[in-house]
mmCIF file of all heavy atoms in Angstrom:
data_model
loop_
_atom_site.group_PDB
_atom_site.id
_atom_site.type_symbol
_atom_site.label_atom_id
_atom_site.label_comp_id
_atom_site.label_asym_id
_atom_site.label_seq_id
_atom_site.Cartn_x
_atom_site.Cartn_y
_atom_site.Cartn_z
ATOM 1 N N ALA A 1 -37.212 -31.156 -44.765
ATOM 2 C CA ALA A 1 -36.765 -32.350 -44.121
ATOM 3 C C ALA A 1 -37.336 -32.488 -42.617
ATOM 4 O O ALA A 1 -37.453 -33.489 -42.105
ATOM 5 C CB ALA A 1 -35.330 -32.457 -44.122
ATOM 6 N N ALA A 2 -37.625 -31.260 -42.075
ATOM 7 C CA ALA A 2 -38.196 -31.268 -40.742
ATOM 8 C C ALA A 2 -39.663 -31.926 -40.756
ATOM 9 O O ALA A 2 -39.998 -32.488 -39.771
ATOM 10 C CB ALA A 2 -38.296 -29.873 -40.204
ATOM 11 N N GLU A 3 -40.272 -31.756 -41.894
ATOM 12 C CA GLU A 3 -41.651 -32.401 -42.009
ATOM 13 C C GLU A 3 -41.521 -33.864 -42.552
ATOM 14 O O GLU A 3 -42.386 -34.645 -42.145
ATOM 15 C CB GLU A 3 -42.546 -31.564 -42.986
ATOM 16 C CG GLU A 3 -42.655 -30.136 -42.432
ATOM 17 C CD GLU A 3 -43.222 -29.277 -43.512
ATOM 18 O OE1 GLU A 3 -44.025 -29.823 -44.488
ATOM 19 O OE2 GLU A 3 -43.154 -28.024 -43.443
ATOM 20 N N MET A 4 -40.667 -34.065 -43.470
ATOM 21 C CA MET A 4 -40.543 -35.378 -44.035
ATOM 22 C C MET A 4 -39.006 -35.686 -44.145
ATOM 23 O O MET A 4 -38.384 -35.194 -45.048
ATOM 24 C CB MET A 4 -41.258 -35.455 -45.464
ATOM 25 C CG MET A 4 -41.054 -36.944 -46.011
ATOM 26 S SD MET A 4 -41.411 -36.985 -47.761
ATOM 27 C CE MET A 4 -43.137 -36.463 -47.904
ATOM 28 N N PRO A 5 -38.529 -36.534 -43.319
ATOM 29 C CA PRO A 5 -37.070 -36.851 -43.320
ATOM 30 C C PRO A 5 -36.616 -37.367 -44.712
ATOM 31 O O PRO A 5 -37.295 -38.122 -45.322
ATOM 32 C CB PRO A 5 -36.937 -37.904 -42.233
ATOM 33 C CG PRO A 5 -38.081 -37.670 -41.316
ATOM 34 C CD PRO A 5 -39.262 -37.149 -42.175
ATOM 35 N N ARG A 6 -35.524 -36.844 -45.082
ATOM 36 C CA ARG A 6 -34.820 -37.316 -46.424
ATOM 37 C C ARG A 6 -34.162 -38.672 -46.252
ATOM 38 O O ARG A 6 -33.561 -38.885 -45.115
ATOM 39 C CB ARG A 6 -33.888 -36.256 -46.858
ATOM 40 C CG ARG A 6 -34.562 -35.023 -47.139
ATOM 41 C CD ARG A 6 -33.532 -33.933 -47.533
ATOM 42 N NE ARG A 6 -32.836 -33.354 -46.395
ATOM 43 C CZ ARG A 6 -31.893 -32.491 -46.441
ATOM 44 N NH1 ARG A 6 -31.558 -31.925 -47.544
ATOM 45 N NH2 ARG A 6 -31.330 -32.106 -45.319
ATOM 46 N N ARG A 7 -34.196 -39.435 -47.269
ATOM 47 C CA ARG A 7 -33.467 -40.749 -47.178
ATOM 48 C C ARG A 7 -32.452 -40.817 -48.357
ATOM 49 O O ARG A 7 -32.755 -40.383 -49.410
ATOM 50 C CB ARG A 7 -34.488 -41.882 -47.324
ATOM 51 C CG ARG A 7 -35.394 -41.960 -46.139
ATOM 52 C CD ARG A 7 -36.436 -42.969 -46.257
ATOM 53 N NE ARG A 7 -35.730 -44.296 -46.293
ATOM 54 C CZ ARG A 7 -36.388 -45.371 -46.828
ATOM 55 N NH1 ARG A 7 -37.617 -45.351 -47.216
ATOM 56 N NH2 ARG A 7 -35.722 -46.533 -46.841
ATOM 57 N N PHE A 8 -31.293 -41.212 -47.972
ATOM 58 C CA PHE A 8 -30.117 -41.206 -48.952
ATOM 59 C C PHE A 8 -30.199 -42.497 -49.737
ATOM 60 O O PHE A 8 -30.279 -43.678 -49.094
ATOM 61 C CB PHE A 8 -28.868 -41.047 -48.288
ATOM 62 C CG PHE A 8 -27.687 -40.999 -49.126
ATOM 63 C CD1 PHE A 8 -27.427 -39.805 -49.857
ATOM 64 C CD2 PHE A 8 -26.779 -42.021 -49.235
ATOM 65 C CE1 PHE A 8 -26.254 -39.703 -50.667
ATOM 66 C CE2 PHE A 8 -25.680 -41.889 -50.102
ATOM 67 C CZ PHE A 8 -25.444 -40.741 -50.784
ATOM 68 N N TYR A 9 -30.007 -42.502 -51.090
ATOM 69 C CA TYR A 9 -29.947 -43.781 -51.813
ATOM 70 C C TYR A 9 -28.494 -44.222 -51.934
ATOM 71 O O TYR A 9 -27.632 -43.571 -52.387
ATOM 72 C CB TYR A 9 -30.540 -43.501 -53.297
ATOM 73 C CG TYR A 9 -30.568 -44.711 -54.048
ATOM 74 C CD1 TYR A 9 -31.644 -45.638 -53.909
ATOM 75 C CD2 TYR A 9 -29.595 -45.008 -55.002
ATOM 76 C CE1 TYR A 9 -31.650 -46.760 -54.723
ATOM 77 C CE2 TYR A 9 -29.589 -46.195 -55.782
ATOM 78 C CZ TYR A 9 -30.657 -47.129 -55.634
ATOM 79 O OH TYR A 9 -30.643 -48.217 -56.363
ATOM 80 N N ASP A 10 -28.252 -45.415 -51.441
ATOM 81 C CA ASP A 10 -26.973 -46.092 -51.461
ATOM 82 C C ASP A 10 -26.897 -46.854 -52.795
ATOM 83 O O ASP A 10 -27.412 -48.016 -52.798
ATOM 84 C CB ASP A 10 -26.666 -46.884 -50.264
ATOM 85 C CG ASP A 10 -25.277 -47.355 -50.105
ATOM 86 O OD1 ASP A 10 -24.667 -47.457 -51.179
ATOM 87 O OD2 ASP A 10 -24.820 -47.548 -49.038
ATOM 88 N N ALA A 11 -26.216 -46.406 -53.722
ATOM 89 C CA ALA A 11 -26.077 -47.079 -55.064
ATOM 90 C C ALA A 11 -25.303 -48.464 -54.927
ATOM 91 O O ALA A 11 -25.653 -49.408 -55.598
ATOM 92 C CB ALA A 11 -25.314 -46.233 -56.007
ATOM 93 N N ARG A 12 -24.470 -48.505 -53.923
ATOM 94 C CA ARG A 12 -23.769 -49.796 -53.689
ATOM 95 C C ARG A 12 -24.677 -50.876 -53.280
ATOM 96 O O ARG A 12 -24.468 -52.063 -53.711
ATOM 97 C CB ARG A 12 -22.588 -49.575 -52.695
ATOM 98 C CG ARG A 12 -21.505 -48.652 -53.089
ATOM 99 C CD ARG A 12 -20.652 -48.352 -52.023
ATOM 100 N NE ARG A 12 -21.374 -47.659 -50.981
ATOM 101 C CZ ARG A 12 -21.026 -47.544 -49.692
ATOM 102 N NH1 ARG A 12 -19.912 -48.023 -49.272
ATOM 103 N NH2 ARG A 12 -21.872 -46.829 -48.847
ATOM 104 N N LEU A 13 -25.669 -50.574 -52.459
ATOM 105 C CA LEU A 13 -26.651 -51.478 -51.894
ATOM 106 C C LEU A 13 -27.815 -51.611 -52.820
ATOM 107 O O LEU A 13 -28.618 -52.581 -52.708
ATOM 108 C CB LEU A 13 -27.027 -51.099 -50.468
ATOM 109 C CG LEU A 13 -25.945 -51.106 -49.495
ATOM 110 C CD1 LEU A 13 -26.428 -50.544 -48.108
ATOM 111 C CD2 LEU A 13 -25.252 -52.464 -49.295
ATOM 112 N N GLY A 14 -28.066 -50.601 -53.653
ATOM 113 C CA GLY A 14 -29.189 -50.549 -54.490
ATOM 114 C C GLY A 14 -30.490 -50.321 -53.738
ATOM 115 O O GLY A 14 -31.613 -50.831 -54.115
ATOM 116 N N GLU A 15 -30.427 -49.565 -52.531
ATOM 117 C CA GLU A 15 -31.596 -49.313 -51.718
ATOM 118 C C GLU A 15 -31.352 -48.020 -51.070
ATOM 119 O O GLU A 15 -30.302 -47.495 -50.850
ATOM 120 C CB GLU A 15 -31.908 -50.410 -50.773
ATOM 121 C CG GLU A 15 -30.769 -50.743 -49.819
ATOM 122 C CD GLU A 15 -30.977 -51.985 -48.930
ATOM 123 O OE1 GLU A 15 -31.472 -52.991 -49.485
ATOM 124 O OE2 GLU A 15 -30.679 -51.937 -47.795
ATOM 125 N N TYR A 16 -32.525 -47.527 -50.381
ATOM 126 C CA TYR A 16 -32.460 -46.330 -49.585
ATOM 127 C C TYR A 16 -32.084 -46.721 -48.124
ATOM 128 O O TYR A 16 -32.490 -47.695 -47.647
ATOM 129 C CB TYR A 16 -33.838 -45.628 -49.684
ATOM 130 C CG TYR A 16 -34.123 -44.851 -50.960
ATOM 131 C CD1 TYR A 16 -34.771 -45.525 -51.921
ATOM 132 C CD2 TYR A 16 -33.723 -43.543 -51.048
ATOM 133 C CE1 TYR A 16 -34.948 -44.885 -53.095
ATOM 134 C CE2 TYR A 16 -34.003 -42.914 -52.232
ATOM 135 C CZ TYR A 16 -34.619 -43.527 -53.271
ATOM 136 O OH TYR A 16 -34.864 -42.840 -54.438
ATOM 137 N N CYS A 17 -31.246 -45.823 -47.578
ATOM 138 C CA CYS A 17 -30.905 -46.004 -46.204
ATOM 139 C C CYS A 17 -32.080 -45.501 -45.322
ATOM 140 O O CYS A 17 -32.907 -44.647 -45.800
ATOM 141 C CB CYS A 17 -29.677 -45.173 -45.869
ATOM 142 S SG CYS A 17 -28.188 -45.692 -46.710
ATOM 143 N N SER A 18 -32.111 -45.865 -44.113
ATOM 144 C CA SER A 18 -33.052 -45.383 -43.230
ATOM 145 C C SER A 18 -32.881 -43.827 -42.991
ATOM 146 O O SER A 18 -31.847 -43.246 -43.319
ATOM 147 C CB SER A 18 -33.082 -46.074 -41.847
ATOM 148 O OG SER A 18 -31.807 -45.576 -41.108
ATOM 149 N N ALA A 19 -33.983 -43.151 -42.520
ATOM 150 C CA ALA A 19 -33.871 -41.764 -42.309
ATOM 151 C C ALA A 19 -32.718 -41.425 -41.262
ATOM 152 O O ALA A 19 -32.046 -40.490 -41.397
ATOM 153 C CB ALA A 19 -35.259 -41.162 -41.734
ATOM 154 N N SER A 20 -32.636 -42.266 -40.210
ATOM 155 C CA SER A 20 -31.576 -42.005 -39.262
ATOM 156 C C SER A 20 -30.120 -42.221 -39.782
ATOM 157 O O SER A 20 -29.183 -41.595 -39.454
ATOM 158 C CB SER A 20 -31.770 -42.961 -37.975
ATOM 159 O OG SER A 20 -31.657 -44.273 -38.344
ATOM 160 N N GLU A 21 -30.054 -43.149 -40.760
ATOM 161 C CA GLU A 21 -28.708 -43.388 -41.371
ATOM 162 C C GLU A 21 -28.451 -42.271 -42.334
ATOM 163 O O GLU A 21 -27.295 -41.938 -42.631
ATOM 164 C CB GLU A 21 -28.715 -44.716 -42.210
ATOM 165 C CG GLU A 21 -28.754 -45.887 -41.164
ATOM 166 C CD GLU A 21 -28.852 -47.168 -42.007
ATOM 167 O OE1 GLU A 21 -29.701 -47.255 -42.954
ATOM 168 O OE2 GLU A 21 -28.277 -48.229 -41.596
ATOM 169 N N SER A 22 -29.429 -41.685 -42.952
ATOM 170 C CA SER A 22 -29.368 -40.706 -44.099
ATOM 171 C C SER A 22 -29.140 -39.264 -43.418
ATOM 172 O O SER A 22 -28.442 -38.508 -44.052
ATOM 173 C CB SER A 22 -30.634 -40.632 -44.873
ATOM 174 O OG SER A 22 -30.877 -41.830 -45.508
ATOM 175 N N ALA A 23 -29.642 -39.000 -42.242
ATOM 176 C CA ALA A 23 -29.400 -37.646 -41.638
ATOM 177 C C ALA A 23 -28.107 -37.130 -41.613
ATOM 178 O O ALA A 23 -27.826 -36.078 -42.034
ATOM 179 C CB ALA A 23 -29.988 -37.673 -40.240
ATOM 180 N N PRO A 24 -27.006 -37.967 -41.253
ATOM 181 C CA PRO A 24 -25.573 -37.351 -41.161
ATOM 182 C C PRO A 24 -25.066 -37.040 -42.683
ATOM 183 O O PRO A 24 -24.399 -36.126 -42.799
ATOM 184 C CB PRO A 24 -24.886 -38.510 -40.557
ATOM 185 C CG PRO A 24 -25.682 -39.376 -39.904
ATOM 186 C CD PRO A 24 -27.105 -39.254 -40.542
ATOM 187 N N VAL A 25 -25.582 -37.866 -43.524
ATOM 188 C CA VAL A 25 -25.217 -37.662 -44.997
ATOM 189 C C VAL A 25 -25.752 -36.232 -45.423
ATOM 190 O O VAL A 25 -25.041 -35.436 -46.005
ATOM 191 C CB VAL A 25 -25.587 -38.808 -45.874
ATOM 192 C CG1 VAL A 25 -25.340 -38.518 -47.343
ATOM 193 C CG2 VAL A 25 -24.995 -40.091 -45.504
ATOM 194 N N PHE A 26 -27.005 -36.060 -45.182
ATOM 195 C CA PHE A 26 -27.640 -34.840 -45.491
ATOM 196 C C PHE A 26 -27.077 -33.646 -44.814
ATOM 197 O O PHE A 26 -27.020 -32.489 -45.338
ATOM 198 C CB PHE A 26 -29.104 -34.850 -45.616
ATOM 199 C CG PHE A 26 -29.723 -35.739 -46.739
ATOM 200 C CD1 PHE A 26 -30.275 -36.916 -46.542
ATOM 201 C CD2 PHE A 26 -29.581 -35.145 -48.006
ATOM 202 C CE1 PHE A 26 -30.753 -37.702 -47.663
ATOM 203 C CE2 PHE A 26 -30.135 -35.901 -49.085
ATOM 204 C CZ PHE A 26 -30.683 -37.164 -48.848
ATOM 205 N N GLU A 27 -26.729 -33.830 -43.594
ATOM 206 C CA GLU A 27 -26.063 -32.679 -42.816
ATOM 207 C C GLU A 27 -24.820 -32.289 -43.462
ATOM 208 O O GLU A 27 -24.519 -31.130 -43.576
ATOM 209 C CB GLU A 27 -25.743 -33.089 -41.407
ATOM 210 C CG GLU A 27 -27.089 -33.191 -40.573
ATOM 211 C CD GLU A 27 -26.855 -33.764 -39.125
ATOM 212 O OE1 GLU A 27 -25.666 -33.830 -38.749
ATOM 213 O OE2 GLU A 27 -27.813 -34.000 -38.427
ATOM 214 N N ARG A 28 -24.069 -33.329 -43.998
ATOM 215 C CA ARG A 28 -22.746 -32.933 -44.663
ATOM 216 C C ARG A 28 -23.057 -32.253 -45.989
ATOM 217 O O ARG A 28 -22.364 -31.242 -46.436
ATOM 218 C CB ARG A 28 -21.851 -34.162 -44.939
ATOM 219 C CG ARG A 28 -21.300 -34.728 -43.582
ATOM 220 C CD ARG A 28 -20.455 -36.014 -43.857
ATOM 221 N NE ARG A 28 -19.527 -35.877 -44.986
ATOM 222 C CZ ARG A 28 -19.227 -36.679 -45.869
ATOM 223 N NH1 ARG A 28 -19.752 -37.954 -45.717
ATOM 224 N NH2 ARG A 28 -18.311 -36.511 -46.748
ATOM 225 N N ILE A 29 -24.061 -32.816 -46.693
ATOM 226 C CA ILE A 29 -24.419 -32.221 -48.023
ATOM 227 C C ILE A 29 -24.868 -30.713 -47.825
ATOM 228 O O ILE A 29 -24.461 -29.880 -48.569
ATOM 229 C CB ILE A 29 -25.410 -33.093 -48.741
ATOM 230 C CG1 ILE A 29 -24.897 -34.403 -49.113
ATOM 231 C CG2 ILE A 29 -26.155 -32.238 -49.967
ATOM 232 C CD1 ILE A 29 -25.881 -35.391 -49.625
ATOM 233 N N ASP A 30 -25.774 -30.583 -46.896
ATOM 234 C CA ASP A 30 -26.312 -29.215 -46.639
ATOM 235 C C ASP A 30 -25.145 -28.221 -46.280
ATOM 236 O O ASP A 30 -25.103 -27.079 -46.826
ATOM 237 C CB ASP A 30 -27.369 -29.217 -45.510
ATOM 238 C CG ASP A 30 -28.524 -30.070 -45.997
ATOM 239 O OD1 ASP A 30 -28.843 -30.252 -47.202
ATOM 240 O OD2 ASP A 30 -29.269 -30.477 -45.050
ATOM 241 N N ALA A 31 -24.316 -28.590 -45.380
ATOM 242 C CA ALA A 31 -23.182 -27.867 -44.975
ATOM 243 C C ALA A 31 -22.313 -27.484 -46.121
ATOM 244 O O ALA A 31 -21.869 -26.279 -46.239
ATOM 245 C CB ALA A 31 -22.448 -28.472 -43.747
ATOM 246 N N ALA A 32 -21.994 -28.477 -46.963
ATOM 247 C CA ALA A 32 -21.173 -28.185 -48.024
ATOM 248 C C ALA A 32 -21.781 -27.296 -49.088
ATOM 249 O O ALA A 32 -21.126 -26.397 -49.593
ATOM 250 C CB ALA A 32 -20.802 -29.546 -48.795
ATOM 251 N N ARG A 33 -23.120 -27.399 -49.362
ATOM 252 C CA ARG A 33 -23.814 -26.535 -50.172
ATOM 253 C C ARG A 33 -23.806 -25.127 -49.759
ATOM 254 O O ARG A 33 -23.611 -24.127 -50.516
ATOM 255 C CB ARG A 33 -25.180 -26.978 -50.508
ATOM 256 C CG ARG A 33 -25.282 -28.276 -51.278
ATOM 257 C CD ARG A 33 -26.710 -28.906 -51.336
ATOM 258 N NE ARG A 33 -27.644 -27.825 -51.861
ATOM 259 C CZ ARG A 33 -28.133 -27.919 -53.076
ATOM 260 N NH1 ARG A 33 -27.762 -28.746 -53.974
ATOM 261 N NH2 ARG A 33 -29.002 -26.976 -53.429
ATOM 262 N N LEU A 34 -23.894 -24.941 -48.437
ATOM 263 C CA LEU A 34 -23.944 -23.624 -47.786
ATOM 264 C C LEU A 34 -22.561 -22.973 -47.884
ATOM 265 O O LEU A 34 -22.413 -21.831 -48.057
ATOM 266 C CB LEU A 34 -24.565 -23.649 -46.375
ATOM 267 C CG LEU A 34 -25.985 -23.973 -46.288
ATOM 268 C CD1 LEU A 34 -26.439 -24.037 -44.843
ATOM 269 C CD2 LEU A 34 -26.851 -22.890 -47.043
ATOM 270 N N TRP A 35 -21.549 -23.835 -47.636
ATOM 271 C CA TRP A 35 -20.131 -23.399 -47.821
ATOM 272 C C TRP A 35 -19.966 -22.906 -49.187
ATOM 273 O O TRP A 35 -19.319 -21.864 -49.504
ATOM 274 C CB TRP A 35 -19.221 -24.579 -47.432
ATOM 275 C CG TRP A 35 -17.721 -24.249 -47.610
ATOM 276 C CD1 TRP A 35 -16.973 -23.749 -46.579
ATOM 277 C CD2 TRP A 35 -16.971 -24.277 -48.743
ATOM 278 N NE1 TRP A 35 -15.700 -23.580 -47.075
ATOM 279 C CE2 TRP A 35 -15.642 -23.810 -48.408
ATOM 280 C CE3 TRP A 35 -17.177 -24.571 -50.081
ATOM 281 C CZ2 TRP A 35 -14.637 -23.798 -49.399
ATOM 282 C CZ3 TRP A 35 -16.220 -24.542 -50.965
ATOM 283 C CH2 TRP A 35 -14.876 -24.012 -50.590
ATOM 284 N N LEU A 36 -20.328 -23.626 -50.236
ATOM 285 C CA LEU A 36 -20.254 -23.263 -51.636
ATOM 286 C C LEU A 36 -20.859 -21.868 -51.862
ATOM 287 O O LEU A 36 -20.362 -21.082 -52.542
ATOM 288 C CB LEU A 36 -20.756 -24.370 -52.618
ATOM 289 C CG LEU A 36 -20.726 -24.056 -54.035
ATOM 290 C CD1 LEU A 36 -19.311 -23.698 -54.479
ATOM 291 C CD2 LEU A 36 -21.352 -25.185 -54.800
ATOM 292 N N ALA A 37 -22.141 -21.722 -51.388
ATOM 293 C CA ALA A 37 -22.835 -20.534 -51.603
ATOM 294 C C ALA A 37 -22.091 -19.320 -51.029
ATOM 295 O O ALA A 37 -22.022 -18.206 -51.677
ATOM 296 C CB ALA A 37 -24.294 -20.595 -51.003
ATOM 297 N N GLU A 38 -21.560 -19.420 -49.836
ATOM 298 C CA GLU A 38 -20.826 -18.376 -49.231
ATOM 299 C C GLU A 38 -19.461 -18.148 -50.070
ATOM 300 O O GLU A 38 -19.031 -16.931 -50.287
ATOM 301 C CB GLU A 38 -20.472 -18.694 -47.810
ATOM 302 C CG GLU A 38 -19.764 -17.613 -47.063
ATOM 303 C CD GLU A 38 -20.501 -16.231 -46.978
ATOM 304 O OE1 GLU A 38 -21.724 -16.160 -47.206
ATOM 305 O OE2 GLU A 38 -19.865 -15.120 -46.787
ATOM 306 N N CYS A 39 -18.867 -19.127 -50.536
ATOM 307 C CA CYS A 39 -17.671 -18.963 -51.312
ATOM 308 C C CYS A 39 -17.960 -18.328 -52.621
ATOM 309 O O CYS A 39 -17.247 -17.330 -53.064
ATOM 310 C CB CYS A 39 -17.061 -20.364 -51.731
ATOM 311 S SG CYS A 39 -15.532 -20.359 -52.576
ATOM 312 N N LEU A 40 -19.050 -18.547 -53.231
ATOM 313 C CA LEU A 40 -19.441 -17.965 -54.499
ATOM 314 C C LEU A 40 -19.860 -16.481 -54.193
ATOM 315 O O LEU A 40 -19.544 -15.590 -55.014
ATOM 316 C CB LEU A 40 -20.719 -18.681 -55.145
ATOM 317 C CG LEU A 40 -20.405 -19.947 -55.717
ATOM 318 C CD1 LEU A 40 -21.663 -20.722 -56.104
ATOM 319 C CD2 LEU A 40 -19.435 -19.876 -56.814
ATOM 320 N N ARG A 41 -20.458 -16.246 -53.053
ATOM 321 C CA ARG A 41 -20.803 -14.811 -52.704
ATOM 322 C C ARG A 41 -19.570 -13.987 -52.527
ATOM 323 O O ARG A 41 -19.498 -12.873 -52.986
ATOM 324 C CB ARG A 41 -21.639 -14.811 -51.415
ATOM 325 C CG ARG A 41 -22.322 -13.505 -51.152
ATOM 326 C CD ARG A 41 -23.355 -13.580 -49.955
ATOM 327 N NE ARG A 41 -24.487 -14.229 -50.523
ATOM 328 C CZ ARG A 41 -24.897 -15.491 -50.124
ATOM 329 N NH1 ARG A 41 -24.255 -16.238 -49.292
ATOM 330 N NH2 ARG A 41 -26.036 -15.976 -50.639
ATOM 331 N N LEU A 42 -18.602 -14.490 -51.838
ATOM 332 C CA LEU A 42 -17.260 -13.771 -51.646
ATOM 333 C C LEU A 42 -16.574 -13.649 -52.974
ATOM 334 O O LEU A 42 -15.937 -12.696 -53.261
ATOM 335 C CB LEU A 42 -16.495 -14.449 -50.620
ATOM 336 C CG LEU A 42 -17.024 -14.357 -49.182
ATOM 337 C CD1 LEU A 42 -16.188 -15.232 -48.228
ATOM 338 C CD2 LEU A 42 -16.999 -12.944 -48.685
ATOM 339 N N ALA A 43 -16.626 -14.684 -53.892
ATOM 340 C CA ALA A 43 -15.998 -14.648 -55.078
ATOM 341 C C ALA A 43 -16.626 -13.585 -55.961
ATOM 342 O O ALA A 43 -15.937 -12.904 -56.754
ATOM 343 C CB ALA A 43 -15.964 -16.026 -55.746
ATOM 344 N N ALA A 44 -17.934 -13.519 -55.905
ATOM 345 C CA ALA A 44 -18.574 -12.440 -56.611
ATOM 346 C C ALA A 44 -18.197 -11.041 -56.243
ATOM 347 O O ALA A 44 -17.914 -10.157 -57.078
ATOM 348 C CB ALA A 44 -20.126 -12.603 -56.451
ATOM 349 N N GLN A 45 -18.008 -10.852 -54.911
ATOM 350 C CA GLN A 45 -17.571 -9.514 -54.456
ATOM 351 C C GLN A 45 -16.108 -9.164 -54.999
ATOM 352 O O GLN A 45 -15.932 -8.150 -55.470
ATOM 353 C CB GLN A 45 -17.577 -9.465 -52.915
ATOM 354 C CG GLN A 45 -18.956 -9.502 -52.421
ATOM 355 C CD GLN A 45 -18.924 -9.759 -50.840
ATOM 356 O OE1 GLN A 45 -17.916 -9.755 -50.246
ATOM 357 N NE2 GLN A 45 -20.175 -9.852 -50.271
ATOM 358 N N ALA A 46 -15.301 -10.280 -54.945
ATOM 359 C CA ALA A 46 -13.876 -10.114 -55.462
ATOM 360 C C ALA A 46 -13.931 -9.814 -57.048
ATOM 361 O O ALA A 46 -13.234 -8.874 -57.569
ATOM 362 C CB ALA A 46 -13.078 -11.211 -55.138
ATOM 363 N N ALA A 47 -14.823 -10.548 -57.739
ATOM 364 C CA ALA A 47 -14.914 -10.439 -59.205
ATOM 365 C C ALA A 47 -15.474 -9.020 -59.611
ATOM 366 O O ALA A 47 -14.961 -8.446 -60.481
ATOM 367 C CB ALA A 47 -15.835 -11.525 -59.755
ATOM 368 N N ARG A 48 -16.451 -8.519 -58.815
ATOM 369 C CA ARG A 48 -16.994 -7.222 -59.042
ATOM 370 C C ARG A 48 -15.841 -6.137 -58.877
ATOM 371 O O ARG A 48 -15.763 -5.330 -59.627
ATOM 372 C CB ARG A 48 -18.100 -6.919 -58.107
ATOM 373 C CG ARG A 48 -18.743 -5.494 -58.342
ATOM 374 C CD ARG A 48 -19.736 -5.072 -57.244
ATOM 375 N NE ARG A 48 -20.759 -6.020 -57.073
ATOM 376 C CZ ARG A 48 -21.089 -6.605 -55.905
ATOM 377 N NH1 ARG A 48 -20.405 -6.299 -54.871
ATOM 378 N NH2 ARG A 48 -22.075 -7.429 -55.813
#
C-alpha cells in the first residue's frame, strides 16, 4: 500500500472510494487482522 494506495469498494454506492477515503478503512482492517493474529498466537500457546 505504500507503493500503490488501496481503495475500498463501497457496495452501497457501487464504486470505489478514493485512496484518502479508503485509508482509514484499511487502517482498521489491518489493525483488526493483526489483533486476530496475536489472539490466535496466544490461543495456540494456551492450547499447546
